[in-house]
Amino acid sequence: MKKVILILSIVLLSACGTAYNAALKQIELGMTQEQVVSLMGNKYSVSNQTNNGATLEYKDRYKNDWFFEFQDNKLVKWYKETEN
């Protein structure tokens, strides 16, 4: 029984990671903020707001911070920072 639970846990965790990676693979420079949010979800915070742009921050369960920088509602940069 423990083996079955372990195998199911591994499969479920792998599936969640794969779905998240699939969304990240679809991100492209020039996308609108709405397009990025539709792929990544609405659980983000705004870490920087200016007159012509914003930076959205997503945190994943692996303590990675993903930043998506927008200017004039277009994605100009995205990157990951990890917690040490």
Side-chain angles (χ1 to χ4, degrees), residues 42-69:
N42 59 4
K43 294 184 179 182
Y44 63 87
S45 61
V46 178
S47 61
N48 187 22
Q49 181 89 35
T50 64
N51 287 340
N52 65 342
T55 301
L56 304 185
E57 179 181 353
Y58 287 87
K59 293 181 181 279
D60 67 20
R61 64 178 173 199
Y62 302 110
K63 299 184 180 179
N64 295 314
D65 293 316
W66 293 89
F67 295 91
F68 298 86
E69 293 183 16

Side-chain angles (χ1 to χ4, degrees), residues 6-44:
L6 177 64
I7 291 171
L8 286 175
S9 298
I10 291 170
V11 168
L12 288 174
L13 289 175
S14 298
C16 293
T18 302
Y20 191 69
N21 287 335
L24 287 169
K25 288 179 181 179
Q26 295 180 50
I27 301 292
E28 296 180 6
L29 295 178
M31 293 179 103
T32 66
Q33 185 171 324
E34 293 79 19
Q35 290 172 315
V36 172
V37 170
S38 73
L39 288 171
M40 297 297 295
N42 59 4
K43 294 184 179 182
Y44 63 87

